[in-house]
Amino acid sequence: MAQSGQIRRRPLEGVRVIDLTKIVAGPNATRMLATMGAEVIRVEWHDQRALDMLRGVRPAVPGGDADSVNRSGLFNNINPGKFGITLNMSLPQGRELFKRLVSKASVLCENYSPEQMERWELGYEALRQINPGLIYLQITGMGKSGTYKGYLSVGPTAQALSGLTHMSGFPEPMPPAGWGYSYLDHSTGYYGAILVLAALLRRRRTGRGCYIDLSQTETGLMVSGTATLEAQITGKPTDRHGNRMPSAAWAPHGAYPCLGTDEWIALAVQNYAQWQSLVAEIGSPDWARDSRFEYGDGRKAHEDDLDRLMAEFTKNQHRYDLMNRLQQRGVPAGAVQKSEDRCERDLQLKDRGYFVPLPHSEIGTWPIENFPAKFEKMPVEVGGLTGRGAPVMGEDNDRVYRDVLGLQPEEIAALREDWII
């Protein structure tokens, strides 16, 4: 692509990443790198024990073979812009081919169980002998040192160990609610991509590679806000507050039911003027003119009663209609969006081009979540070098083994016949 007579270069052009990651945390890191123009080669294998579980996670794109491993919407959304190859790492011949790939790479990313690569004799110390400039990102639940270094983990496990699960939910005596979906997987992926970028800058200056030991649990601590500081100062765990504001007399402050099934509106009244505007919009009912609710301190002290009375009003209102009416009066209010709101009806996301239609070799063209930032004059595209969604299993075997490793067609055919690729 050209602009003003100059070639527009991708920021990570020339960087080759070998991707041994699975599920979300690792693949999200390599997704960021692919979006910024790195050549990401995703290495997988057919065996169910080795298969990325996301390939089997619903929802699956309708049609086609119901048993296909290429139809998962979530896998397609997490892995666009990557090249895909198959390689049987359990065989010595497969591991030798892997070493040849590493010798021609800039970065290796993996999130296997903590000692798996060492069992294959493919840990950092072994691979740096093959490629001294290699940047090796390893993502584990607890990190590769310390008491818990050998523990197995997934995102929700790390969320619990980091305290995030305890922090989420309604006040005691209700139990912790947790985070539902594995948000910490995504956070760890972002950190992983940033660390790789820093290592690439260092290598540009020094010529040296490095090993990056990324702990998912410690990432959770970094996104836990003031909870750790509070425990250090007070010696007590953070209280759960649900949707309420713990540090100011803001009330009503929460999510309230609206007309329909599982429809909600969020309100955050912060001062006297906003409360008066809210009261006027809901028709100044007798309860809203109760002296307990006139000022913020009183509303906060009687928040249970206030929330119950607010819910009695909002449950008969359409969420977007009420949101618009309150916003026009200067009251902070927003409809609580569902996935279909964001995908189909959110004008802001449409204006930002958040969903990008990308072709996929089996399921056709489907929308993929875009990169969350815009670059003025630099091509940063979620389709990456491939210009497509996630790879079909082994889709790029011929290209990678031919162009990267220099194998002849008959050699590739023999490797496929021997179940090595």
Side-chain angles (χ1 to χ4, degrees):
M1 293 177 289
Q3 184 177 30
S4 302
Q6 293 183 345
I7 300 298
R8 298 177 63 205
R9 299 189 63 185
R10 302 170 190 266
L12 293 185
E13 185 175 320
V15 173
R16 176 175 292 145
V17 179
I18 307 301
D19 182 0
L20 275 181
T21 64
K22 293 183 179 182
I23 311 181
V24 177
N28 197 43
T30 53
R31 182 193 203 269
M32 298 297 107
L33 302 177
T35 298
M36 290 184 280
E39 180 190 36
V40 176
I41 301 174
R42 183 178 174 85
V43 180
E44 299 183 88
W45 188 237
H46 307 276
D47 192 300
Q48 286 294 327
R49 294 169 296 179
L51 196 65
D52 188 334
M53 65 173 288
L54 252 60
R55 282 195 174 274
V57 168
R58 295 179 181 276
V61 176
D65 183 355
D67 295 326
S68 172
V69 298
N70 300 310
R71 308 189 71 81
S72 165
L74 184 54
F75 183 88
N76 191 33
N77 194 58
I78 296 293
N79 292 284
K82 303 177 184 181
F83 298 94
I85 66 170
T86 50
L87 183 60
N88 190 346
M89 299 283 286
S90 67
L91 296 178
Q93 303 96 314
R95 294 194 290 273
E96 288 303 314
L97 279 175
F98 180 76
K99 291 177 182 178
R100 292 176 62 180
L101 283 172
V102 167
S103 72
K104 298 179 179 297
S106 306
V107 179
L108 168 65
C109 298
E110 59 99 349
N111 62 342
Y112 280 128
S113 300
E115 300 301 326
Q116 181 58 56
M117 293 296 281
E118 283 78 10
R119 284 193 288 270
W120 281 334
E121 298 182 342
L122 296 174
Y124 176 64
E125 291 303 322
L127 295 180
R128 71 187 299 190
Q129 304 304 316
I130 300 169
N131 182 350
L134 180 68
I135 295 166
Y136 186 130
L137 171 65
Q138 183 173 34
I139 300 173
T140 60
M142 323 300 162
K144 282 299 295 289
S145 61
T147 305
Y148 300 158
K149 65 181 180 181
Y151 282 16
L152 307 183
S153 174
V154 290
T157 308
Q159 284 165 198
L161 285 167
S162 65
L164 294 174
T165 300
H166 179 271
M167 293 167 57
S168 177
F170 291 106
E172 298 283 356
M174 296 296 290
W179 280 28
Y181 186 64
S182 188
Y183 291 100
L184 188 52
D185 275 335
H186 290 273
S187 303
T188 304
Y190 300 141
Y191 275 87
I194 292 170
L195 293 169
V196 168
L197 295 178
L200 286 168
L201 286 172
R202 175 181 178 270
R203 193 180 67 176
R204 179 182 294 177
R205 295 196 307 269
T206 67
R208 296 194 301 271
C210 70
Y211 169 67
I212 303 171
D213 169 14
L214 177 54
S215 162
Q216 197 169 23
T217 298
E218 290 169 33
T219 301
L221 289 172
M222 293 199 70
V223 300
S224 63
T226 60
T228 302
L229 180 62
E230 182 178 2
Q232 290 174 327
I233 294 173
T234 68
K236 298 178 181 179
T238 297
D239 293 328
R240 290 188 299 278
H241 304 282
N243 294 314
R244 293 178 174 178
M245 167 58 73
S247 57
W250 294 359
H253 189 286
Y256 302 88
C258 290
L259 196 64
T261 302
D262 200 23
E263 308 279 349
W264 301 80
I265 189 171
L267 304 176
V269 172
Q270 304 167 28
N271 54 46
Y272 181 80
Q274 291 173 0
W275 168 246
Q276 292 299 312
S277 296
L278 173 63
V279 170
E281 180 56 48
I282 67 177
S284 298
D286 290 342
W287 65 261
R289 289 180 277 111
D290 189 312
S291 59
R292 295 178 301 163
F293 301 143
E294 184 173 5
Y295 297 106
D297 289 342
R299 293 196 300 276
K300 197 69 178 174
H302 300 91
E303 202 163 10
D304 287 343
D305 289 341
L306 178 62
D307 282 349
R308 177 178 54 80
L309 292 163
M310 279 301 308
E312 285 296 316
F313 170 79
T314 60
K315 71 180 184 180
N316 297 312
Q317 306 294 313
H318 290 281
R319 57 185 172 135
Y320 278 105
D321 177 57
L322 181 58
M323 175 191 79
N324 290 329
R325 285 157 37 205
L326 289 173
Q327 287 183 359
Q328 288 173 3
R329 288 182 179 267
V331 179
V336 177
Q337 290 194 319
K338 303 178 183 179
S339 57
E340 58 264 34
D341 291 302
R342 297 195 300 271
C343 294
E344 304 294 338
R345 295 188 286 273
D346 194 299
L347 297 178
Q348 173 68 12
L349 293 183
K350 286 183 179 180
D351 287 343
R352 294 276 294 175
Y354 185 73
F355 293 102
V356 179
L358 287 179
H360 182 281
S361 300
E362 181 171 324
I363 64 177
T365 299
W366 284 80
I368 299 294
E369 286 184 281
N370 204 351
F371 196 70
K374 308 297 181 186
F375 289 76
E376 183 181 7
K377 295 181 179 180
M378 191 162 54
V380 174
E381 301 153 345
V382 69
L385 295 180
T386 68
R388 69 180 187 215
V392 168
M393 179 72 78
E395 179 168 2
D396 300 294
N397 277 351
D398 288 341
R399 176 196 177 276
V400 171
Y401 289 119
R402 180 191 66 232
D403 296 347
V404 178
L405 297 189
L407 300 184
Q408 297 301 310
E410 58 271 19
E411 293 178 288
I412 297 173
L415 291 169
R416 188 176 286 114
E417 180 70 21
D418 292 337
W419 211 234
I420 297 170
I421 68 171

